[in-house]
Amino acid sequence: GYAPEEPPGRVSLAALQALIAPDELPHLARVFAEWRAQPDDQRRDDVYRLLHADGAERTFAGREVVFARRPDGSVRQILGTLTDITAQKQAEEALLASEEWHRTILRSAMDGFVLVDAHGDMLEVNETMCRLTGYSEAELLAMRLTDLDARMTADDLDAIMQDIMAAGEARFETQ
């Protein structure tokens, strides 16, 4: 969001502090302290939140190495790159929120719930399913759908799996 001339190619500490999100400054101070002790040939990877020219915060993956030191050994220059990973971070946060929503639904469901793979092997079950079947979670996760109902045939399982593939879900009862 910045023009090529702003910020300059050589970013000073003051310019960097002006670009970084205000609550990120303690993190930046820790990074600077770690750079002082870091060997010159060691790359450092980190994540930073910076302010875009429009004022919005963006998340960046940084990759840096100490480029030059002063005669006293303190860091004079850091050579690094920044990659905008804002969209990736937003996607990760959305996925985490979705997973939490999924877990909440499963915990509170009155019906037994089973997540299965394409072969009918159980990957996830809720507490209600355990209570309804009398099996522990570990026992159910070692089973296939056909193990829950002695009358379920391979053809029945195939039909259920076709429903799942077509609609994303299937409802069925076991005996």
Side-chain angles (χ1 to χ4, degrees):
Y2 292 94
E5 63 276 0
E6 59 167 350
R10 300 182 83 179
V11 179
S12 68
L13 176 59
L16 185 57
Q17 287 175 325
L19 291 174
I20 199 150
D23 62 334
E24 193 82 348
L25 288 172
H27 172 72
L28 185 63
R30 283 190 302 279
V31 168
F32 277 38
E34 291 170 10
W35 278 337
R36 286 185 204 107
Q38 182 174 312
D40 291 351
D41 60 348
Q42 183 179 342
R43 185 185 78 212
R44 176 184 173 78
D45 295 323
D46 213 329
V47 175
Y48 306 97
R49 287 183 297 100
L50 303 178
L51 299 176
H52 190 274
D54 66 8
E57 283 189 12
R58 308 285 296 177
T59 305
F60 289 85
R63 180 167 279 179
E64 305 100 17
V65 65
V66 174
F67 184 69
R69 291 188 185 272
R70 294 183 184 90
D72 66 1
S74 62
V75 176
R76 191 177 120 226
Q77 286 180 318
I78 300 294
L79 179 63
T81 62
L82 291 174
T83 303
D84 190 342
I85 59 168
T86 304
Q88 176 186 340
K89 282 296 195 187
Q90 290 169 339
E92 289 171 3
E93 290 169 5
L95 179 60
L96 289 174
S98 174
E99 288 172 349
E100 181 57 32
W101 177 81
H102 172 81
R103 282 190 295 277
T104 300
I105 295 296
L106 289 183
R107 280 194 303 269
S108 61
M110 300 292 286
D111 293 328
F113 174 88
V114 179
L115 178 65
V116 297
D117 66 13
H119 306 289
D121 295 319
M122 293 186 222
L123 303 174
E124 187 174 350
V125 298
N126 67 357
E127 291 177 26
T128 304
M129 190 67 176
C130 296
R131 194 172 54 256
L132 290 172
T133 62
Y135 291 106
S136 70
E137 179 181 9
E139 290 170 321
L140 285 171
L141 294 178
M143 296 178 164
R144 300 184 79 203
L145 280 179
T146 53
D147 296 329
L148 286 179
D149 188 340
R151 297 180 315 148
M152 186 182 290
T153 67
D155 289 339
D156 295 332
L157 179 59
D158 285 342
I160 290 169
M161 297 310 295
Q162 291 301 321
D163 289 346
I164 292 171
M165 297 300 230
E169 66 178 43
R171 294 181 183 269
F172 58 93
E173 295 183 15
T174 62
Q175 301 262 336

